[in-house]
Amino acid sequence: MRKNLHRVLDAFGVVSAAFVFGVFIVMLGAAFMRIAGMKTGGSDDIVSWMTAAAAFFGLAHTFRHGDFVRMGLGIEKLSPGRRRTAEIVALIIGGAFAGYLWYSVSAYVWDSYRFGDVADGLIPIKKWIPQMSIVIGTFLLFISMVDELFAVLRGETPSYVAAVEERHARGDFSEDV
Amino acid sequence: MNVVEIGLILLGIMMVLLVAGVWISLTLAMVGWVGMVFFTNQPAATWGKNLFSAMWESSASWELAALPLFIWMGEILFRTKLSEQMFSGLAPWLNRVPGRLMHTTILGCGIFGSVSGSSAATCATIAKVALPELKRRGYDENIALGSLATAGTLGILIPPSITMVVYAVAADASIIRIFLAGFLPGFLLMALFSGYIGWWSLRNPDKVPVEGLDMSFKEKIYASRHLIPCTLLIVFIIWVLVAGYATATECAAYGVLGSLAIAWQSKMLTWKSFSESLMGATRVSCMIMFILAGAAFLKLTMAFTGIPRDLAEWVDSLKLHPYALIAALTFFYIILGTALDGISMIVLTAAVVLPMVQKAGFDLIWFGIFVVLLVEIAEVTPPVGFNLFVLQNMTGKDSNTIAKAAIPFFCMLVLAILLVTIFPQIVTWLPDYLMGVQK
C-alpha cells in the first residue's frame, strides 16, 4: 500500500520532469519559428502553464527526495530521541499547512470551474485546466507529509533524511545550490 | 498595534518555525498567512484566494521558465567528463605562471561556473579531479582546498547563475541585466584569487613543484581540444546575451541544447545520464519555485501591512551614509548566512530589504551582485558554509581546517565587496553600456 503510494508520488515527479522537457521543446520551437519569421504569440502562455505544472506536480517527489531546504542548524545536532520529536512537530506543522494550502487552492479552482473562467491570454482555454497542476501538486504534498509523519511515528527515518544522507555519501552534490 | 510590533511578531514566528526545522517554503507562506489573518483587514473570504493567486502567479511565469532550464544545463555538464578534461586542458598553459597548476582550481571553477549556476556543484566538480591531481604532484594542499572552497562560489557569480535568477524574480529585475552585471565582478574575483596564488607562490617557491614538460603551442592546443566545445558554448551564450538576440529563457534553452550536444559528442549522453540530469534539475527547480511561491504570498501580506514601506522610510529618516547602510546590511547578511542557504537568504529578505535599499538610492542590479557576493561569503563560513561541507565530504578533512585554509581567499572576497561598493561601475558599466542606462 505504502509502496504504491510512493510509486504514485514519484511518478508525478516524472510528470513534472516531462513538463521541464516540454518547456525546453516549446522554447526552442518558438525561437526557431521566430527566426523563420512566424508568429509565436501563444507560446508564452503555454510556457507559463508548463512552468507552473513543472513546479507543482513534482512537489511531493521533491519533498520525499530531501530537496526541500530547511534550516538544519536547530535540529541536526539533537539526540536521536529529540530529533524524532522535532521531526514530528515539523511534519505536523508543515502537513497542516500543506492541507490548508490544498483546500484553499481547490476551493478557488472549483469556483473558477463552476463559473467557467476563461484565460485572458492568446489561448482562450478554461482557466481551471492549467490550474489543476496546483490542486493535484499540493494534494500530493499533503499526502506525502502525512505519510512521512506516520513513518516517523512508527520509528522509521523519514525518506527526506535518508535520501540526502545516501546522496551525499555517494559524493553527489549536484542538487545542492 | 503599530507596525514595529507587527513586524517583530512576524519575525519571531518565522524564527521559531525555521529553528523547528519547518521547510523554508512552507514557513514563508505560513508567516504570510498569520500576517494576513491577524494583521491586515483583508476579509476572511479573500485569504485563500490571495494565497492561491500569489502562489499561482509566481509559478505560472514565463520568465521563471529560465530557471529549470539553466539548472538542467548545469546538471547535464556535471555528468560529462568535463572536469577531467578541464584539468588536462588547462594544465599545459599554466606552466610559466607563478603558482602553476594551482591556478587550475580558479580557472576551472570560473569556466565551470559559466555553464553551471550552482556553487556546490562547481566546487564538487572541479575538486573531484583537481584535488587528487594537485596532491599527487606535490602541491600545497591547504592552498588547493582553500582556493577550491572559495572559487567554487564563482558558480553563482558568473552567469548563468541560479541565485541571480532567483534574485531577479524576487526583485522584479531583468534577468539579462543582472547576468551582464555579474561578468566584471566575476573576472575581478578570479583575478584576485589568482593574484593571491601567484603572490603566495613567489614567497614560497619551495612549495610549488616544478613541472617537467614544456609544450609547443600546437601541442597545448591539442591537449585542450576537449575544452573547445564547452568554450564555444560559453562564448555562444555570452554572445547571445550581450547582443540581445534572445531572452534569458530562450538563452537557457539554447544552453540545454548545446550541453546535450557536448554530452552526445563526448559519448557521455546515455539514457541514464539524460534522465538523471532531468530529474535532478526538476527537483531543484521544484524546491526553488515553491520557495518563490511561498515568498510571493509573504510579499503580498507585507505590502498589505505596510511594514516594508514604513521600514524604508524609517531607514531613510536616519539619514545614514550609504556606506553605513551597506555595512549594516553586510553584517546582517553574514549573520543570516551562518544559518541559511543563499537562495533562502535572498528570498526571505527581498520583501523587506529591497524597498529600503531602493529608497536609499541604491541600484537594484548593483545590490543583486552585492548580495550574491555576500552569499558567496556565506558558503565558505562555518557553521553551515555549504562548500566547506562539500569538501569535508570529499576529503574527510574537518570543515574547520578547510575554513581556515580558505581564510586568505575569503579576504579576497571581502576585498571584492569593498571594491564593488566603492566603485559601483564595476557592476553597472557593462549592463549600462550594452542595454542603455536604466531609468
Side-chain angles (χ1 to χ4, degrees), chain A residues 10 13-14 16-18 20-21 23-24 27-28 30-32 34-35 43-45 47-49 51-59 61-63 65 67-75 77 86-87 89-91 93-95 97-98 100-101 104-106 108-109 127 130-134 138 141 145 160 167-169 171-177, chain B residues 17-26 29-30 33 47-49 51-52 55-56 59-62 64-65 68-69 72 75 78-79 117-121 124 156 162-163 245-247 249-250 253-254 256-257 260 274 276 278-291 293 297 338-341 343-344 379 383-384 386 389-390 393-394:
Chain A
D10 291 342
V14 176
S16 184
V20 173
F21 188 73
V23 168
F24 166 60
M27 274 325 296
L28 273 190
F32 288 133
R34 208 184 54 175
I35 292 168
S43 73
D44 290 7
D45 292 338
V47 167
S48 310
W49 294 327
T51 309
F56 293 119
F57 279 130
L59 282 180
H61 168 70
T62 305
F63 169 68
H65 211 259
D67 282 341
F68 268 27
V69 286
R70 60 184 344 190
M71 195 174 112
L73 212 57
I75 53 170
K77 295 268 153 70
E87 292 292 359
V89 172
L91 281 166
I93 299 175
F97 192 78
Y100 171 77
L101 180 61
S104 307
V105 300
S106 310
Y108 185 76
V109 174
K127 266 188 181 169
Q131 285 171 350
M132 278 313 283
S133 61
I134 191 171
T138 51
L141 178 64
M145 292 190 114
Y160 51 84
R167 197 151 42 92
H168 285 172
D172 180 354
F173 296 97
S174 58
E175 285 169 39
D176 300 286
V177 179
Chain B
L17 289 173
L18 286 177
V19 172
V22 178
W23 294 270
I24 289 182
S25 40
L26 292 170
M30 271 183 244
W33 186 82
W47 298 340
K49 180 175 171 283
L51 181 60
F52 168 83
M55 285 202 157
W56 176 254
S59 305
S61 145
W62 180 82
L64 200 59
L69 297 184
W72 189 20
E75 289 265 346
F78 176 79
R79 287 176 169 76
S118 146
S119 150
I156 57 171
I162 299 168
T163 314
Y245 283 125
T247 60
T249 318
E250 282 172 356
Y254 292 142
V256 170
L257 191 66
L260 285 172
F274 177 83
E276 275 179 1
L278 183 57
M279 288 307 292
T282 304
R283 285 189 291 264
V284 176
S285 335
C286 277
M287 177 273 282
I288 295 178
M289 292 195 280
F290 200 46
I291 291 184
F297 181 59
T338 59
L340 285 172
D341 67 295
I343 289 187
S344 310
E379 302 270 13
V384 288
F386 201 82
F389 177 65
V390 169
N393 234 299
M394 296 181 81

Side-chain angles (χ1 to χ4, degrees), chain B residues 77-218:
Chain B
L77 292 172
F78 176 79
R79 287 176 169 76
T80 62
K81 280 201 184 119
L82 198 60
S83 51
E84 284 92 334
Q85 294 163 348
M86 197 93 78
F87 193 86
S88 55
L90 288 173
W93 301 93
L94 296 165
N95 218 358
R96 290 173 189 278
V97 188
R100 298 204 182 83
L101 297 194
M102 211 91 89
H103 294 283
T104 50
T105 56
I106 310 294
L107 286 173
C109 287
I111 296 176
F112 197 77
S114 51
V115 290
S116 160
S118 146
S119 150
T122 304
C123 179
T125 309
I126 301 302
K128 193 168 62 190
V129 179
L131 265 182
E133 285 282 338
L134 289 176
K135 207 173 165 186
R136 193 171 60 81
R137 291 167 201 236
Y139 282 89
D140 187 81
E141 202 181 6
N142 263 337
I143 293 285
L145 279 175
S147 65
L148 278 167
T150 327
T153 64
L154 285 166
I156 57 171
L157 180 62
I158 299 185
S161 149
I162 299 168
T163 314
M164 284 185 192
V165 175
V166 169
Y167 176 85
V169 171
D172 286 325
S174 145
I175 296 180
I176 295 199
R177 198 172 260 277
I178 188 153
F179 274 4
L180 290 174
F183 281 115
L184 291 182
F187 293 140
L188 171 73
L189 204 51
M190 282 174 75
L192 287 174
F193 290 156
S194 276
Y196 174 77
I197 289 181
W199 178 80
W200 183 89
S201 308
L202 290 175
R203 285 176 43 117
N204 301 284
D206 48 315
K207 288 189 186 164
V208 185
V210 182
E211 296 285 330
L213 61 163
D214 224 349
M215 295 184 180
S216 72
F217 184 73
K218 253 190 175 160

